[in-house]
Amino acid sequence: MTKIACVIVTYNRKQLLEEALNSVLIQTESPEYVFVIDNASTDGTEKYINDKFNFDNRQWHYVRCSQNLGGSAGFAQGMRLALQTDCSWISISDDDAIFEPGYFAALRKGIKQYPEQSVFSGSVLLPDGKHDMMHREVITNSATLTVRCVTDETYKHDFSYDIFSFVGILLSRQVIEAIGLPEQDYFIRFDDFEYAVRALKFGRFMNLSAAKVLHKTTYTRSAIAPWKEYYVMRNRIALLIKHRGNNHTVRWYCRRFLLRKLLAILLFSNRRRQARSLVNAYVKGYQDGWHARLGRQLAFLPS
């Protein structure tokens, strides 16, 4: 029997978490286990959710962390707990991922249809019904791990790809036990990218067109916050050096990445208004990424 554990990481979004959990409950084939990892929410999430759901059920678990260590640490915590069950697959997502009816049934069908696959995903949709394109990517340059998004046309059928986000991902126990848990010290940004690079050693990933997850996010790549940009710069460089080494090509790419980010400050008005903070974030992120100084940085935390 294919047993699935569903890990959901949350922080200060209790209504969204309620919707995400309800979307698990209404599945035609629900996961056998559910783990909610609360990254030290301050909005009353714990009481709100416990009042609405039966966490006394031994299959549902609510875990509140002592501090917000970021999504990657939350996923690592949930996956560690899930591995203590008899599940053979683990689903991971944030609290803004709402599974459409039949999502897990489609995943189970995919497991039978593609027995050689060890990582599956569903198609990620935005509230307007369009595909959220940044979640499934293919590598265009292996030396620098450069990627492009999968085309909209591709989503009409099942397809293989190279890089996933942590929205609607299902990983086999065997892969997780082989590659370990997500990098907890990445805090935010590129933690999923780095984990995908590790998982890719066991083959490309399969996206199932029949499995759909609604991503209720307000984030866009045009939205800029200096504290977030620090982790974008730092983690992108750190993962590239980790997986491709310190060579001429990597050094050239990292310098070019920094230069492009600095030039973008001049090109976009919303960045020019934050020029000093962004320059500091990019330069410090570049330095810390190069020297693998990871973890939460007190100078770059949500305000």
Side-chain angles (χ1 to χ4, degrees), residues 84-110:
Q84 295 175 18
T85 72
D86 60 349
C87 73
S88 50
W89 294 82
I90 298 178
S91 163
I92 57 177
S93 59
D94 284 309
D95 50 15
D96 57 3
I98 313 301
F99 303 110
E100 295 203 349
Y103 182 83
F104 288 97
L107 291 179
R108 285 190 165 96
K109 182 179 179 181

Side-chain angles (χ1 to χ4, degrees), residues 9-298:
V9 175
T10 189
Y11 176 69
N12 277 357
R13 295 194 291 196
K14 56 189 178 184
Q15 282 88 10
L16 264 180
L17 176 59
E18 178 187 7
E19 191 172 353
L21 289 172
N22 278 325
S23 77
V24 175
L25 280 174
I26 65 171
Q27 293 293 311
T28 54
E29 298 182 25
S30 294
E32 281 69 27
Y33 306 95
V34 175
F35 294 88
V36 174
I37 309 300
D38 183 349
N39 256 328
S41 293
T42 58
D43 65 346
T45 291
E46 183 173 16
K47 183 179 186 307
Y48 182 86
I49 293 301
N50 275 287
D51 286 347
K52 291 182 176 291
F53 297 94
N54 178 22
F55 282 94
D56 292 330
N57 182 334
R58 66 184 180 87
Q59 312 287 43
W60 281 51
H61 308 268
Y62 185 97
V63 179
R64 176 178 168 80
C65 302
S66 59
Q67 60 178 317
N68 183 4
L69 295 177
S72 53
F75 287 124
Q77 168 79 326
M79 293 162 73
R80 188 180 297 111
L81 293 171
L83 288 172
Q84 295 175 18
T85 72
D86 60 349
C87 73
S88 50
W89 294 82
I90 298 178
S91 163
I92 57 177
S93 59
D94 284 309
D95 50 15
D96 57 3
I98 313 301
F99 303 110
E100 295 203 349
Y103 182 83
F104 288 97
L107 291 179
R108 285 190 165 96
K109 182 179 179 181
I111 291 171
K112 294 179 181 178
Q113 185 176 356
Y114 305 102
E116 74 285 356
Q117 290 292 143
S118 53
V119 178
F120 289 94
S121 64
S123 299
V124 183
L125 302 176
L126 291 167
D128 62 6
K130 296 180 180 179
H131 288 111
D132 197 349
M133 307 297 287
M134 67 179 70
H135 298 280
R136 313 290 178 246
E137 299 173 312
V138 295
I139 295 175
T140 57
N141 186 326
S142 180
T144 59
L145 294 175
T146 305
V147 297
R148 65 168 174 79
C149 296
V150 172
T151 64
D152 192 64
E153 184 72 16
T154 307
Y155 281 93
K156 292 181 179 179
H157 51 77
D158 299 348
F159 62 86
S160 297
Y161 65 103
D162 304 313
I163 299 295
F164 54 66
S165 76
F166 283 154
V167 179
I169 293 298
L170 183 73
L171 301 107
S172 70
R173 170 185 283 268
Q174 289 82 359
V175 162
I176 295 172
E177 290 176 339
I179 69 175
L181 300 171
E183 282 276 10
Q184 299 183 53
D185 287 336
Y186 272 44
F187 188 60
I188 63 168
R189 298 292 184 267
F190 285 106
D191 50 336
D192 42 12
F193 193 114
E194 192 279 332
Y195 200 59
V197 173
R198 276 190 271 161
L200 196 57
K201 298 173 184 176
F202 291 84
R204 302 183 81 203
F205 320 131
M206 178 63 67
N207 192 84
L208 303 171
S209 62
K212 301 185 188 303
V213 55
L214 177 62
H215 193 207
K216 287 199 166 183
T217 181
T218 57
Y219 170 78
T220 65
R221 286 184 172 175
S222 61
I224 291 295
W227 73 271
K228 290 182 180 179
E229 289 298 291
Y230 164 80
Y231 295 105
V232 169
M233 176 62 65
R234 186 196 72 178
N235 295 351
R236 179 68 174 98
I237 290 175
L239 82 87
L240 185 56
I241 294 173
K242 174 181 178 180
H243 291 285
R244 293 297 182 264
N246 183 349
N247 55 60
H248 174 75
T249 300
V250 167
R251 290 194 295 272
W252 170 85
Y253 176 86
C254 291
R255 291 165 185 155
R256 181 170 175 265
F257 187 58
L258 173 61
L259 180 60
R260 288 177 60 187
K261 287 289 189 179
L262 293 174
L263 288 176
I265 297 174
L266 301 176
L267 297 176
F268 299 97
S269 60
N270 65 327
R271 303 188 189 200
R272 289 197 296 271
R273 291 193 294 268
Q274 307 177 79
R276 181 175 297 180
S277 296
L278 283 172
V279 169
N280 178 56
Y282 290 139
V283 172
K284 188 71 168 72
Y286 180 90
Q287 294 170 340
D288 288 350
W290 195 259
H291 296 286
R293 292 192 287 258
L294 305 178
R296 292 196 331 162
Q297 297 297 319
L298 293 179

